[in-house]
């Protein structure tokens, strides 16, 4: 399908062989799976839950879910459908992202209309400018992009700190309810949760591998925190 002389949709599957599928699975799908699951599903849902408390589903919030604004199931289906439908037509693989959501929120986006406007703008650039749009984008100073990324990162950090303290408060209230007293050491709970968060972040930054960081954080949570008990309770459910 061509528009203004430029290919808008192509048959990207015509030269795909069984070996191509196998190589793509080993070199593309498996390495990407942890990153997509953590950044494009779990983090997005948790971030939306934190940034938009007024949009939470009361029935899910009663269950202490961290995806009461948009569920992990809904985001997973969205990512899957985008790729199943668009990639065979020549699109690059697509996903959601916590960084994009944080950046859009920091710059003022509060409703879905902002994403629609962004999408329409990209479509118009691709259709009417085509390859010329790359020249326009290349002219954008790296310093401007760096500042935008830094602002998005700061938004994620501030939200992460907020979530950390909320988790500490919830765990403190839960422990007080179970033990029936008010002598709960909140600093110890904060230290435990902060250790898990810092180990996770440190491994991701050092190795540049999200799944290694998540695995390291989970191991620390099992050894140093209540991860094993939580895992057993989850299995029993």
């Amino acid at each position: 399908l061509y528009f203004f002389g430029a290919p808008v949709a192509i048959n990207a599957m015509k030269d795909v062989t069984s070996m191509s599928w196998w190589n793509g699975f080993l070199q593309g799908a498996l390495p990407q799976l942890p990153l997509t699951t953590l950044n494009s599903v779990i983090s997005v849902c948790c971030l939306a839950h934190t940034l938009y408390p007024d949009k939470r589903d009361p029935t899910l919030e009663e269950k202490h879910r961290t995806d009461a604004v948009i569920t992990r199931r809904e985001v997973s289906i969205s990512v899957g459908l985008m790729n199943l439908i668009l990639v065979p037509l020549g699109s690059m693989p697509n996903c959601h992202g916590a960084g994009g959501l944080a950046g859009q929120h920091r710059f003022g986006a509060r409703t879905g209309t902002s994403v629609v406007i962004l999408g329409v703008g990209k479509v118009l650039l691709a259709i009417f400018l085509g390859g010329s749009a790359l020249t326009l984008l290349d002219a954008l100073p790296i310093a401007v992009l760096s500042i935008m990324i830094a602002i998005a990162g700061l938004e994620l950090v501030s939200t992460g700190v907020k979530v950390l303290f909320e988790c500490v408060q919830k765990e403190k209230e839960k422990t007080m309810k179970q033990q029936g007293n008010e002598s709960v050491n909140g600093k110890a709970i904060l230290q435990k949760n902060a250790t898990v968060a810092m180990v996770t972040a440190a491994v991701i930054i050092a190795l540049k591998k999200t799944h290694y960081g998540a695995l390291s954080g989970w191991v620390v949570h099992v050894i140093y925190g209540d991860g094993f008990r939580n895992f057993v309770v989850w299995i029993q459910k």
Side-chain angles (χ1 to χ4, degrees):
L1 177 62
Y2 285 80
F3 196 80
F4 280 88
V8 176
I10 62 174
N11 180 14
M13 306 296 292
K14 63 179 181 178
D15 296 324
V16 176
T17 63
S18 58
M19 183 57 66
S20 300
W21 279 101
W22 181 244
N23 290 334
F25 176 74
L26 293 179
Q27 301 178 19
L30 285 182
Q32 183 67 26
L33 186 60
L35 178 60
T36 300
T37 303
L38 294 169
N39 183 60
S40 302
V41 180
I42 297 176
S43 296
V44 167
C45 295
C46 186
L47 184 62
H49 180 88
T50 304
L51 294 178
Y52 305 103
D54 56 316
K55 298 181 183 296
R56 295 174 184 173
D57 186 338
T59 58
L60 296 177
E61 194 170 14
E62 289 176 358
K63 300 177 182 179
H64 304 289
R65 295 271 296 267
T66 58
D67 58 345
V69 174
I70 182 170
T71 66
R72 290 181 285 271
R73 179 185 178 88
E74 292 170 339
V75 176
S76 299
I77 292 175
S78 173
V79 173
L81 288 178
M82 280 194 301
N83 289 285
L84 287 174
I85 295 173
L86 299 178
V87 170
L89 299 177
S91 169
M92 289 289 291
N94 295 273
C95 68
H96 304 291
L101 176 59
Q104 291 165 12
H105 180 272
R106 185 66 182 83
F107 285 105
R110 294 296 182 271
T111 66
T113 305
S114 60
V115 182
V116 173
I117 294 174
L118 177 63
V120 170
K122 290 181 177 180
V123 170
L124 293 178
L125 281 175
I127 291 177
F128 292 104
L129 295 182
S132 300
L134 294 177
T135 304
L136 179 64
L137 295 175
D138 286 339
L140 192 65
I142 297 296
V144 175
L145 294 177
S146 300
I147 293 174
M148 294 173 65
I149 293 174
I151 292 175
L154 289 174
E155 182 70 21
L156 283 175
V157 170
S158 62
T159 304
V161 172
K162 180 181 178 181
V163 171
L164 178 62
F165 279 98
E166 287 180 352
C167 290
V168 171
Q169 183 63 30
K170 289 179 181 178
E171 188 172 346
K172 184 177 179 180
E173 293 174 356
K174 182 180 178 181
T175 305
M176 290 170 58
K177 185 177 180 180
Q178 292 175 345
Q179 296 180 357
N181 58 66
E182 298 183 359
S183 59
V184 178
N185 191 345
K187 291 183 178 180
I189 298 176
L190 176 60
Q191 181 181 358
K192 176 184 63 178
N193 290 351
T195 300
V196 175
M198 288 189 293
V199 168
T200 303
V203 173
I204 292 176
I205 294 173
L207 302 181
K208 296 181 174 58
K209 300 290 184 180
T210 304
H211 52 292
Y212 288 165
L215 182 60
S216 301
W218 181 79
V219 170
V220 173
H221 183 47
V222 169
I223 297 174
Y224 190 60
D226 301 323
F228 183 76
R229 185 182 65 183
N230 295 341
F231 182 72
V232 172
V233 171
W234 180 75
I235 291 294
Q236 290 175 347
K237 289 181 180 180

